[in-house]
């Protein structure tokens, strides 16, 4: 087996396709690194400036009073840009990078989620973005087919396969040797291009990759190898079933175009046609109809009254109304964003038969971009909002002069708050949660590899020499 592997590797290393593959991958990876070095510092600086401005506003609210802090909220919460943006762009341009904190006069604050532009989201790798998803999804998969389309059919044409099998060599040994030889031949130029890419990035002073980022890069590299194995197995399968190398190459190219290029966009269009497209007004009307009667019932007794003349019981009703209205509007807004995101997730589930879609979803999960990352950011915001509200309630309870009526100026503490005591928002990422999110796609990609390898083995065992 090792002798066959070395022979395949030697033949590939001395071929023109190996040289062209190395040059192409190096050029794409260098372009990716240069583009990232130019764009990432601007993205990080924009994030830092926005966070600093939001923190200054929060400090000013805390210095005013607890009521001001409760009414105006924590300000705008920003999504931290991923340091692995060069691996998977993930449609970040069309995803909101913040969650706003909105309020009205004499009302409690609530979170306002910007809409997600799902019409511009790509289900498969984006050709316009020279990221790792594009390089691995399109270029590396095509290279794997080029290295295997004549692995068996070519030897049958030249008669060398008959001479090889005339010896006491099991066919599985021949197949595994050819598979390993092709895998090493494709891994060498890809690894070289990756090392050049990371070397350029590490020398840039504006780019900082921590230990967790390097660990995620290792996972992404393993996923790329698994994805390459899928197309190597496909190439061996077709090469074993076809006698002529030209026919094998034609079949593989058609298969590649169908499953990698054509199928993601086509099935996504069909999926969007079956899913209901609902505007924000339609969503509010469908899920917020009960608010009208509630508003009339609650506001009938106090809305037009003078707030300074209301008793404590009425102030309590006003505070409950403001709190419930804020929670309801926030939940309704978050539900609409989740509804829009689920539309894209359903389209991806339908197109998961395409390996390119699986690869994009996996790389986005571990690179910290895309819809899964945006959902994780929203969860971080919602968790922080609960902590912020609990902090306000605790501070108000500690003031003996307060009536402890949330949402009403007359019922809350008017004392200033130490800005250092106010909870700060941290947009964190959880690797274990990313694994749980990507587990289905990872198992499905592995299943594709196993099935194709089994098919290639059965086809090669039954082939007549």
């Amino acid at each position: 087996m090792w002798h066959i592997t070395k022979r395949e590797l030697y033949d590939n290393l001395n071929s023109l396709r190996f040289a062209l593959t190395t040059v192409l991958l190096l050029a794409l990876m260098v372009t990716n690194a240069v583009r990232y070095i130019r764009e990432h510092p601007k993205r990080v600086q924009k994030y830092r400036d926005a966070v600093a401005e939001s923190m200054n506003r929060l400090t000013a609210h805390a210095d005013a009073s607890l009521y001001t802090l409760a009414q105006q909220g924590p300000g705008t919460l920003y999504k931290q840009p991923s340091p692995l943006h060069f691996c998977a762009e993930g449609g970040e341009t069309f995803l909101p990078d913040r969650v706003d904190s909105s309020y009205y006069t004499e009302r409690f604050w609530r979170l306002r989620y910007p809409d997600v532009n799902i019409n511009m989201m790509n289900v498969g790798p984006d050709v316009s973005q020279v990221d790792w998803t594009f390089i691995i999804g399109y270029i590396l998969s095509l290279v794997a087919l080029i290295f295997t389309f004549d692995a068996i059919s070519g030897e049958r044409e030249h008669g060398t396969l008959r001479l090889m099998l005339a010896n006491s060599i099991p066919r599985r040994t021949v197949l595994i040797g050819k598979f390993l030889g092709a895998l090493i031949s494709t891994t060498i130029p890809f690894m070289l291009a990756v090392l050049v890419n990371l070397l350029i990035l590490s020398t840039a002073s504006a780019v900082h990759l921590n230990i967790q980022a390097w660990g995620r890069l290792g996972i992404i590299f393993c996923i790329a190898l698994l994805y390459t194995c899928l197309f190597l197995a496909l190439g061996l399968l077709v090469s074993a079933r076809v006698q002529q190398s030209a026919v094998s190459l034609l079949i593989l190219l058609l298969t590649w175009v169908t499953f990698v290029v054509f199928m993601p966009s086509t099935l996504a269009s069909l999926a969007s046609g079956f899913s209901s497209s609902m505007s924000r007004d339609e969503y509010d009307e469908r899920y917020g109809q009960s608010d009208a009667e509630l508003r009339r019932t609650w506001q009938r007794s106090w809305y037009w009254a003078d707030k300074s003349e209301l008793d404590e019981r009425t102030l309590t009703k006003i505070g409950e109304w403001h709190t419930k209205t804020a929670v309801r509007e926030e939940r309704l807004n978050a539900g609409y964003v989740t509804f829009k995101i689920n539309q894209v997730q359903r389209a991806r589930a339908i197109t998961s038969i395409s390996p390119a879609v699986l690869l994009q979803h996996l790389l986005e999960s571990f690179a910290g971009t895309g819809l899964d990352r945006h959902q994780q950011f929203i969860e971080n915001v919602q968790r922080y909002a609960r902590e912020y509200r609990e902090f306000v309630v605790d501070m108000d309870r500690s003031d003996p002069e307060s009536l402890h009526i949330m949402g009403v100026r007359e019922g809350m503490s008017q004392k200033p708050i130490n800005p250092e005591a106010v909870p700060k928002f941290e947009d964190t990422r959880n690797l274990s949660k990313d694994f749980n999110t990507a587990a289905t796609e990872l198992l499905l990609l592995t299943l594709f590899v196993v099935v194709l390898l089994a098919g290639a083995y059965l086809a090669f065992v039954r082939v007549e020499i």
Side-chain angles (χ1 to χ4, degrees):
M1 183 187 301
W2 179 236
H3 178 75
I4 297 174
T5 302
K6 288 192 295 183
R7 196 196 70 172
E8 289 291 320
L9 180 60
Y10 178 79
D11 292 340
N12 289 328
L13 291 179
N14 289 278
S15 63
L16 178 62
R17 55 188 170 185
F18 180 84
L20 293 178
T21 297
T22 304
V23 173
L24 179 60
L25 290 178
L26 281 173
L28 290 174
M29 282 296 186
V30 170
T31 302
N32 170 266
V34 172
R35 181 177 181 179
Y36 178 77
I37 292 175
R38 186 177 67 250
E39 295 179 355
H40 184 68
K42 299 178 182 178
R43 194 180 299 113
V44 172
Q45 189 60 42
K46 178 182 177 182
Y47 167 76
R48 291 176 178 173
D49 294 342
V51 170
E53 183 180 353
S54 181
M55 290 300 299
N56 292 335
R57 217 178 288 126
L58 180 64
T59 302
H61 296 160
D63 291 335
S65 67
L66 180 63
Y67 171 75
T68 304
L69 193 67
Q71 182 201 29
Q72 309 221 5
T76 304
L77 307 177
Y78 293 92
K79 178 167 59 177
Q80 185 176 6
S82 171
L84 301 181
H85 190 271
F86 61 93
C87 293
E89 191 272 339
E92 289 289 312
T93 307
F94 310 106
L95 289 172
D97 61 348
R98 69 189 188 280
V99 170
D100 298 321
S101 179
S102 62
Y103 69 96
Y104 302 98
T105 305
E106 298 296 334
R107 289 193 182 184
F108 212 42
W109 71 276
R110 75 290 316 271
L111 296 175
R112 182 166 59 86
Y113 303 88
D115 196 2
V116 178
N117 189 0
I118 64 172
N119 296 325
M120 302 299 293
M121 296 293 295
N122 290 307
V123 176
D126 190 0
V127 181
S128 62
Q129 301 293 332
V130 188
D131 54 6
W132 283 28
T133 305
F134 164 73
I135 297 173
I136 299 171
Y138 285 157
I139 307 302
L140 195 61
S141 61
L142 187 59
V143 167
L145 296 181
I146 293 176
F147 273 96
T148 54
F149 79 95
D150 60 347
I152 299 175
S153 60
E155 297 219 22
R156 290 178 66 183
E157 288 179 320
H158 295 90
T160 55
L161 185 61
R162 179 180 298 178
L163 295 176
M164 183 187 305
L165 296 179
N167 301 306
S168 57
I169 302 177
R171 294 197 178 191
R172 64 175 180 274
T173 302
V174 177
L175 185 66
I176 295 175
K178 288 183 173 295
F179 174 80
L180 292 177
L183 178 60
I184 297 174
S185 301
T186 54
T187 303
I188 289 175
F190 177 66
M191 183 179 294
L192 178 62
V194 167
L195 291 177
V196 172
N197 178 278
L198 297 178
L199 179 62
I200 295 174
L201 293 178
S202 60
T203 55
S205 59
V207 179
H208 303 282
L209 299 179
N210 53 23
I211 297 178
Q212 186 182 22
W214 285 105
R216 289 175 178 267
L217 281 174
I219 297 173
I220 291 174
F221 184 81
C222 293
I223 293 173
L225 294 183
L226 182 63
Y227 180 78
T228 306
C229 290
L230 187 150
F231 286 91
L232 292 175
L234 176 62
L236 291 174
L237 172 61
V238 175
S239 183
R241 294 294 300 172
V242 178
Q243 294 184 359
Q244 298 179 354
S245 300
V247 178
S248 174
L249 180 60
L250 179 61
I251 294 175
L252 288 173
L253 289 177
L254 290 176
T255 305
W256 180 83
V257 170
T258 301
F259 283 90
V260 177
V261 180
F262 179 74
M263 186 172 290
S265 57
T266 303
L267 291 181
S269 300
L270 294 176
S272 62
F274 288 108
S275 60
S276 60
S277 180
M278 190 183 304
S279 65
R280 179 58 194 271
D281 294 336
E282 293 173 342
Y283 185 88
D284 291 347
E285 183 179 357
R286 177 177 298 185
Y287 297 98
Q289 293 176 350
S290 61
D291 180 59
E293 182 62 30
L294 181 65
R295 184 184 297 274
R296 288 193 295 269
T297 303
W298 279 71
Q299 290 185 348
R300 186 178 296 124
S301 59
W302 52 263
Y303 187 76
W304 300 106
D306 186 0
K307 303 298 186 298
S308 60
E309 300 178 358
L310 295 178
D311 55 14
E312 184 175 344
R313 180 180 178 183
T314 306
L315 287 175
T316 303
K317 286 186 177 182
I318 297 175
E320 292 177 356
W321 158 252
H322 287 327
T323 304
K324 289 185 176 182
T325 301
V327 172
R328 176 206 156 275
E329 292 183 5
E330 182 179 305
R331 186 182 296 116
L332 194 65
N333 198 342
Y336 177 70
V337 174
T338 304
F339 169 79
K340 298 293 288 292
I341 292 177
N342 289 338
Q343 284 186 304
V344 181
Q345 299 289 28
R346 284 193 296 269
R348 285 190 172 182
I350 295 175
T351 56
S352 293
I353 191 174
S354 170
V357 176
L358 293 177
L359 175 75
Q360 182 186 9
H361 202 182
L362 288 170
L363 263 60
E364 287 179 1
S365 298
F366 291 106
T369 58
L371 286 173
D372 292 332
R373 167 71 176 103
H374 188 68
Q375 284 184 310
Q376 197 171 122
F377 166 66
I378 291 178
E379 292 174 1
N380 292 336
V381 168
Q382 292 171 347
R383 181 173 60 251
Y384 171 72
R386 291 191 296 268
E387 296 176 358
Y388 187 88
R389 290 189 175 103
E390 291 173 359
F391 169 80
V392 172
V393 172
D394 293 339
M395 290 294 100
D396 186 74
R397 288 175 180 173
S398 63
D399 185 5
E401 300 178 1
S402 172
L403 297 176
H404 310 311
I405 302 175
M406 304 304 298
V408 182
R409 182 185 299 274
E410 294 80 3
M412 290 189 62
S413 173
Q414 301 297 323
K415 294 182 178 180
I417 301 297
N418 182 12
E420 298 296 330
V422 181
K424 306 300 187 299
F425 174 69
E426 294 183 5
D427 184 25
T428 59
R429 290 180 295 163
N430 193 320
L431 186 58
S432 62
K433 184 178 293 186
D434 293 336
F435 265 111
N436 295 333
T437 303
T440 303
E441 288 78 10
L442 194 58
L443 290 176
L444 190 57
L445 187 61
T446 305
L447 180 62
F448 284 166
V449 175
V450 173
V451 170
L452 289 175
L453 281 175
Y457 173 73
L458 294 176
F460 186 54
V461 167
R462 296 181 180 181
V463 69
E464 295 182 2
I465 307 301

